Amino acid sequence: MDDEMLKDFVVEALDLATNVEEHLLTLERHPDDLEILNAVFRAFHTIKGGAGFVNLPAMVSACHLTENLFDALRNGKAPVTPLAIEAALQASGFVADQLNELSNGADPASLASMPQDLEDILTQAIEGKDAPVAAAPAAAPVAAAPAAPAAVSTPSANGGASVLGADGSLDWNALYQAVSGGAGDAPASAAATAAAVADASADAAPEESAAVSSHPKSLPSATPKPAAAAAPPARRATDNQPGNAKEESIRIDAGKLDALLEVAGESVQAANQAAVLLEKLQQFKFEGTAASLMSTLAETLGRASRYSSELQRATLSTRMQPVGRLFQKFPRLVRELAKDLGKDVDLAISGAETEVDRVVVDSLYDPLVHMLRNSLDHGIETDRAAAGKPNKATISLKAWQEASSVMIEIFDDGKGMDPDFLRKKAIGKGLIGEHEAQSHDEALQLVFLPGFSTKEVASSVSGRGVGMDVVKTAVEKHRGTIRIDSTLGVGTRFSIRLPIELSIIPTMLVRTAGAALALPMAVVERVVELPADFDEVGGAPVLRDQGRPLPVHSLAGVLGYEPGSERVGIVMAVPHPYILGVEAVEGTADLVIKPLTAIQTNGITGTARSAEGELVLVVGLSFLLEGCRSSAKAVAQV
């Protein structure tokens, strides 16, 4: 079997399996929704076709039984009961687990067979219909067979053997049918199949459209294929439309996109440097032909600069993905964990369309899982009535764009955190001294310390002292920040701020101690003039700004340089504001950041090139947000 073909199947099937979980959890709340029933039926049918072709018998069996169940549910032959939902969730979980194993490099022959308890629960759900049990194995496949071409492939309805889509890509189910002759589905005549296609097209089209539109930027997969087959005659008059839609999406290796982005960034930097040189040349007086050439050069360079910037933006957009791709994995996780903990919890998701760099999307799964598990285990009360709250708790997962950052927030309406209790726990574990973390905010941030836990006994969910420190490390790896706000009896809010684009950030260019430095604009409030002498509080310099006394830090000092005459101050827009002293501010610029990998330098997260070609050191966002307090720890690590 072609490894590339298996890889393509796994990628496409994982998308379908994830969508199925989301549909099932919606169906649990709206059991009469025929569109969802049809969508789930089609997803399992399509996965079954591909699994059969790449020889995954356990997956074929699970999908076949689930397909039978949903054929009965959508035709009203069986009721949508909690047992049916649970059976389908277990089936989708089994399929997703096998797909994930394959994605991680497992040999298809090593996959487990379908568990007997899964077969039993699916069979029990199917037997919920008013038909003899003995008839189910024979009747259900026959009923499913005519509907299959309607959901997947028109060529079989015409008696043809084409297994290619309009863009030449494989139609998994058509290929499976062509090779296996049905593999378990009772054969249907071409006339009967064609009739089924015609009958099913009218009511199948809306669901197919919804399935396609919910992933407008997804890669070509089995999902768009039904839309081409199930479209009503009026739309089929333009048969080239589905093909064109598919041709607009191709799968590209992520490494190639990264290389393209780097080249695009360098072209922008080169154009900026050329613009600076041209500006210097224009200070000289040119006459005649030379003046004309300079004018033409300026116009040409301006055009080249615009094109390079557009190339950069277009390349960046190819790396952007909606966080909904990540969020849709969590409803089932929350549902099952809440069930294990004996809690009634509803997960409310909003802002799933917010886009962020694909690297961030891929790396946020584990951090968000840790936070959701903590909210369920630590935050949500077991006895909500005693706390005067509704029995059903709510965890909200939100995302939105704020300036050049993406905000992700998890809020639970649980019991909240007690800062005094957290402080005592940290002192008891020897993580902090007696006089540290005195403020409410500092005490809440203690949960990010490695080894910190409020549980006396570790459980399968939490309590081992790992998790939240991993979350903080993962977020800061991508120049992000995370904070906790909590009120006793009300709930807890985790707020994550991440740059929308990892490689390019707006910065303020400054100079101090002879070094060119860049500060992320996300934390810059404004620039002020510093006096020669400062008032002092506790021996530290303080400047009153807009009626508030703010501590003043020397940027050179906190970075370990020899401080010079720093007469310019930058007011930092952080939770605990302060002023950062520098020698000069040299403007703002969007810089292409190259992270430091081989070395670790106190407070510095990466390097860039200015428009003049000078090397610029980029100061870390988390370092600035923490008031430059991490300097001692960073120096110790170096």
Side-chain angles (χ1 to χ4, degrees), residues 511-515 530-532 534 553-558 560-568 581-584:
R511 189 170 295 274
T512 193
L530 298 182
F534 297 96
H553 301 318
S554 161
L555 179 57
V558 297
Y561 301 158
E562 185 67 33
S565 176
E566 296 177 328
R567 302 301 297 273
V568 180
V582 299
E583 291 180 6

Side-chain angles (χ1 to χ4, degrees), residues 326 329-330 333-334 337 363-377 397 410 461-462 467-468 471 496:
L326 177 67
K329 299 178 181 180
F330 297 130
L333 181 146
V334 170
L337 187 55
S363 64
L364 273 181
Y365 176 76
D366 285 340
L368 290 178
V369 166
H370 280 303
M371 286 187 283
L372 287 170
R373 289 164 70 94
N374 270 6
S375 292
L376 283 160
D377 194 24
L397 179 58
I410 294 179
V461 179
S462 60
M468 295 310 294
V471 170
I496 298 175

Side-chain angles (χ1 to χ4, degrees), residues 253-278:
D253 183 80
K256 293 180 180 178
L257 285 180
D258 293 341
L260 178 60
L261 179 61
E262 184 170 353
V263 171
E266 293 295 344
S267 71
V268 170
Q269 293 296 319
N272 290 341
Q273 286 180 249
V276 171
L277 292 173
L278 179 63

Side-chain angles (χ1 to χ4, degrees), residues 80-106:
V80 180
T81 61
L83 177 67
I85 298 293
E86 183 62 32
L89 281 171
Q90 288 189 24
S92 69
F94 172 74
V95 169
D97 288 344
Q98 292 218 327
L99 290 170
N100 282 319
E101 287 185 47
L102 291 170
S103 180
N104 292 330

Side-chain angles (χ1 to χ4, degrees), residues 170-236:
L170 283 173
D171 183 328
W172 289 110
N173 198 71
L175 189 58
Y176 173 49
Q177 297 290 342
V179 173
S180 65
D185 285 352
S189 67
T193 305
V197 172
D199 292 339
S201 63
D203 57 8
E207 292 81 9
E208 296 294 353
S209 300
V212 175
S213 65
S214 65
H215 294 275
K217 296 187 179 180
S218 63
L219 299 174
S221 68
T223 307
K225 293 182 176 70
R235 290 176 57 192
R236 290 179 64 85

